[in-house]
Amino acid sequence: MATSVSREEQLNLNGILPEPQTKKLTDLPTELLEYILCFPALKHVDVCNVSCCCKRLHDVCHGSGKVWGNQYKLRWPRLQRFYRQNESCDWLREYKTRHRVGIQIRRTVESISKRFFTEVPCVGQVLGDSFAEIESLGMPGHFCEDELLFLLNSDKRKNLTLKYYAKKILYFLRQQNILRSLKSFLEQPAEQQSALEGAVLVDQYCNPLADVTLDGVSLQLDEIGEKVKKVLRLKSPTHPSLRATGEGVLEDLELQRQVLCALNAVLYEQLQYKGNEGDYYNPLNSYIHQVLLRRTGIPISLSVLYMTLAGRLGVQLEPVNFPNHFLLRWSQRPRGYDAKTDITDFVYIDAFGKGKQLTAKECEYLIGHQVTADYYSSISTTEVLLRMVGNLLNIGKRGEGNEKSYQLLRDSLDLYLTINPDNVQYLLLQARLYFHLGIWPEKVLDILQHIQALDPSQHGAVGYLVQHTLEHIQHKKHPVTPEVKRRSAPEHLEVQFSVGLIMKHKRSGYNCVIYGWDPKCTMSQEWITTMRVHQLSSGANQPFYNVLVQDGTCRYAAQENLEPHSSPLEIGHPEVGRYFSLFAESHYVANEELQTRYPEDMTLQNLKQLNVAEPFW
């Protein structure tokens, strides 16, 4: 039985009460301390503060790397795929590098608006020189991309200008990486080049912000292939293509025919793939990921899918560069047949026409005229890509002269000249396009020099562009100070609306946001006549407003046709970020550059007249 001990008895011989033995945090095992320091609520600043307390905690924080590795993974989860599991790494150094990249990129992006807002003549076009600053950081590309994605995914309604330029830079950086991949692809031996991989690279370059990967596309084709095998199994349970490993290329024509019949049944009947006859010139028809998503395409994109699927099931088909209608051909002769083949030795497959099998004569009915035998020959993967990119080029040239069509034209020209760098026709088109847009004048001179070396007979066109490009470069050295428009000026007293206000067009009904105005219409007489401005009650002698419209267009609207929107809403225009930094529920807040041009536009007095909330600056 326990006996009680009195306080007096606890006194030692000297009459002093012994000190209780207390445990300190640093007495805990290292593993437990690491566990505590990896708690998600702790940030990198907290870890730094803890490590400064004493040598013991400093060693725990920096010893095994577990604590900083955890901080790195918590802050930048997207970067984990670049590291092998359980990889030994100096996580503190990685953290510092990634943190430093973030600061440098943010500074670069923030500076772009100030430097290029007044310099770029075409809305949304950013001078390529600025992108070099990101590359000059000398940091891992995935660090730069991750920071740009972080900026883009921050608060939706804030930092609009920062996001606008971050998106431009990310677009450029991804395109540069894709071009490098394309060049490596083109350096491979012809027999190792896959038409599908080439088509995915084209897709990625034209859609660098989309989630398009070769693995993702291949996975979708695997799923279609399994459906084909299921149909094939019902009709021919012992078919060689059903075996787990397959047997390469099938030799027997009847076995090949069975595969193609099953492929047609799945692709066109079960999955309802079709040629887009109603919207043939839509660029989405050329992008493989969109063809798979929408199950519609044009002859060449559907042929690439069809040929790839057939090849995986043992049927070797070849691409045919038939005029106006891309085809595939299927040899009816045994493999290794030495005698010279004739166009009648092949069956021609129209992937656009639900896999219909045609004779050589029937192919001519597709285009309405006869062609020589050369047009029935098979072509290389490089030639397939040139045809695919050429289609996109033609769509860009057919465009309406807006930013979207210019971007498609630029992208397709970049691709075409990467594949065929000495095409004088397209080099000249690229130089003219850049000159027209007023971008990259130094690159225009390089292109013109290359053209002159390839074809001296172009000296007339080259000389004209060189002269005017040099004038543009000289003009850049002496930029014109932008006009400042003050509401208080006597000539501006009739201007009723301010930049940033969300408006509705009384006649057309569209929603828009104002990003500029003139006291009178400044367009040409031809434009005024074409747009029937004289039919307005005040004609051209009234304020006109530059507006970004919900449908993605930019318009010039008369004051009498605009009214403040009764229920202001965000305007989904790609150029909003170029002019505005914030959506403030009732209006957009102009960024510093737009405020400089219209310094008195969003004063408290003007806002109160329109019952709009007070601005944030």
Side-chain angles (χ1 to χ4, degrees), residues 279-419:
D279 193 14
Y280 191 87
Y281 294 102
N282 188 331
L284 298 182
N285 295 326
S286 296
Y287 304 143
I288 289 298
H289 85 282
Q290 287 289 347
V291 175
L292 288 167
L293 178 66
R294 300 158 68 240
R295 300 186 183 183
T296 184
I298 53 176
I300 191 168
S301 56
L302 291 170
S303 292
V304 169
L305 293 182
Y306 194 102
M307 178 173 62
T308 303
L309 287 165
R312 292 183 177 188
L313 294 166
V315 181
Q316 185 175 3
L317 302 177
E318 298 173 309
V320 177
N321 203 20
F322 206 66
N324 302 324
H325 200 104
F326 199 86
L327 296 170
L328 299 170
R329 73 178 192 179
W330 171 30
S331 176
Q332 302 299 290
R333 293 289 184 94
R335 287 183 68 199
Y337 184 73
D338 293 331
K340 186 177 180 180
T341 58
D342 186 79
I343 62 173
T344 57
D345 294 332
F346 297 90
V347 166
Y348 299 87
I349 297 175
D350 180 11
F352 186 80
K354 298 186 176 182
K356 186 177 181 181
Q357 297 178 6
L358 308 168
T359 64
K361 191 66 179 176
E362 289 172 329
C363 292
E364 295 178 346
Y365 296 150
L366 286 175
I367 58 175
H369 60 85
Q370 291 183 332
V371 294
T372 62
D374 293 340
Y375 286 103
Y376 291 91
S377 301
S378 65
I379 59 173
S380 66
T381 298
T382 299
E383 291 171 302
V384 172
L385 296 188
L386 283 174
R387 171 97 176 233
M388 183 173 279
V389 174
N391 289 339
L392 290 169
L393 257 171
N394 290 329
I395 295 170
K397 288 190 285 188
R398 290 166 59 99
E400 301 175 354
N402 55 25
E403 168 134 3
K404 195 172 182 180
S405 61
Y406 281 138
Q407 188 65 58
L408 177 60
L409 193 53
R410 285 179 60 188
D411 291 345
S412 50
L413 277 170
D414 288 345
L415 287 168
Y416 198 99
L417 291 170
T418 298
I419 302 169

Side-chain angles (χ1 to χ4, degrees), residues 502-504 511 564-571 583 585-586:
I502 298 164
M503 313 297 289
K504 188 177 185 68
N511 302 320
H565 203 289
S566 58
S567 302
L569 71 168
E570 289 185 80
I571 303 298
F583 178 66
E585 301 297 340
S586 59

